[in-house]
Amino acid sequence: EAQVTQNPRYLITVTGKKLTVTCSQNMNHEYMSWYRQDPGLGLRQIYYSMNVEVTDKGDVPEGYKVSRKEKRNFPLILESPSPNQTSLYFCASSFHRTSGRTNEQFFGPGTRLTVL
Amino acid sequence: GESVGLHLPTLSVQEGDNSIINCAYSNSASDYFIWYKQESGKGPQFIIDIRSNMDKRQGQRVTVLLNKTVKHLSLQIAATQPGDSAVYFCAHNRGGAQKLVFGQGTRLTINP
């Protein structure tokens, strides 16, 4: 089944304790992205990657890191989480824009993170 | 500044009626405008997109209308069903890149 998977789905942690949220897709997509979703603010892009070893900042990158060592994986790293990073996080993937099919991003099920 | 907004945060319709969800935008440089649906507890799901040089596009039970003069986008859902209950987001593809900018969402509720 074609899908984007995220782990963990739920996480409660404390301020300053490093964490990683994994994201994996099995559709051979070049493009991957991380979003956070907060009430009243919709979905905001954190980081994105056009291909392996190519990453760039989205609209709200502060406090986050990413890496793209393999095509299928795009982990989100919070080196020192803070309470304002409490949010619902989504990973998404799609084909590269040259394929003409870039608007259909496939989203994972979400990771609900609480930072105390 | 750049924004993709929605006229109403909630919309309630009777089952079987047509639903119209509206969206206003400010960035005229977008190549595409897109609608996503998010059901409770799930990630957003692509519904339909429309290129900026078009004014109408139809899918299965859905129609998207784009009025560039007033910078307005709408999603029409025909014969609304209980499974259409969700939050609907409009988004735009900014300047030819693959970065999507999302609006805040409209919650569609279906009354039996």
Side-chain angles (χ1 to χ4, degrees), chain B residues 55-99:
Chain B
D55 52 23
K56 181 179 180 179
R57 189 176 186 203
Q58 289 185 289
Q60 187 178 16
R61 274 202 313 119
V62 296
T63 301
V64 57
L65 299 177
L66 176 62
N67 186 330
K68 294 180 284 295
T69 301
V70 296
K71 298 184 179 179
H72 183 267
L73 181 72
S74 69
L75 178 70
Q76 300 178 6
I77 304 173
T80 311
Q81 303 168 359
D84 295 326
S85 291
V87 177
Y88 289 81
F89 292 95
C90 61
H92 71 107
N93 184 315
R94 191 162 58 192
Q98 290 189 231
K99 295 179 63 174

Side-chain angles (χ1 to χ4, degrees), chain B residues 23-64:
Chain B
C23 182
Y25 64 92
S26 59
N27 186 348
S28 299
S30 300
D31 292 333
Y32 283 93
F33 296 88
I34 309 112
W35 284 99
Y36 275 81
K37 171 187 180 183
Q38 186 177 24
E39 296 176 86
S40 180
K42 296 183 179 180
Q45 182 180 15
F46 174 88
I47 303 173
I48 191 169
D49 63 0
I50 185 168
R51 197 178 177 96
S52 58
N53 62 358
M54 299 171 65
D55 52 23
K56 181 179 180 179
R57 189 176 186 203
Q58 289 185 289
Q60 187 178 16
R61 274 202 313 119
V62 296
T63 301
V64 57

Side-chain angles (χ1 to χ4, degrees), chain A residues 58-76:
Chain A
D59 297 314
V60 288
E62 294 77 20
Y64 304 94
K65 288 174 59 177
V66 293
S67 68
R68 187 89 183 274
K69 294 184 170 59
E70 304 165 286
K71 195 173 187 179
R72 64 183 293 128
N73 296 323
F74 190 45
L76 179 69

Side-chain angles (χ1 to χ4, degrees), chain B residues 5-11 20-23 88 105-107:
Chain B
L6 288 155
H7 291 303
L8 293 171
T10 60
L11 176 65
I20 301 175
I21 302 171
N22 296 304
C23 182
Y88 289 81
T106 292
R107 181 174 298 280

Side-chain angles (χ1 to χ4, degrees), chain A residues 42-63:
Chain A
L43 287 143
R44 294 179 293 166
Q45 190 177 52
I46 303 171
Y47 268 95
Y48 65 99
S49 170
M50 300 293 282
N51 215 324
V52 175
E53 301 292 0
V54 180
T55 63
D56 207 348
K57 297 178 180 178
D59 297 314
V60 288
E62 294 77 20

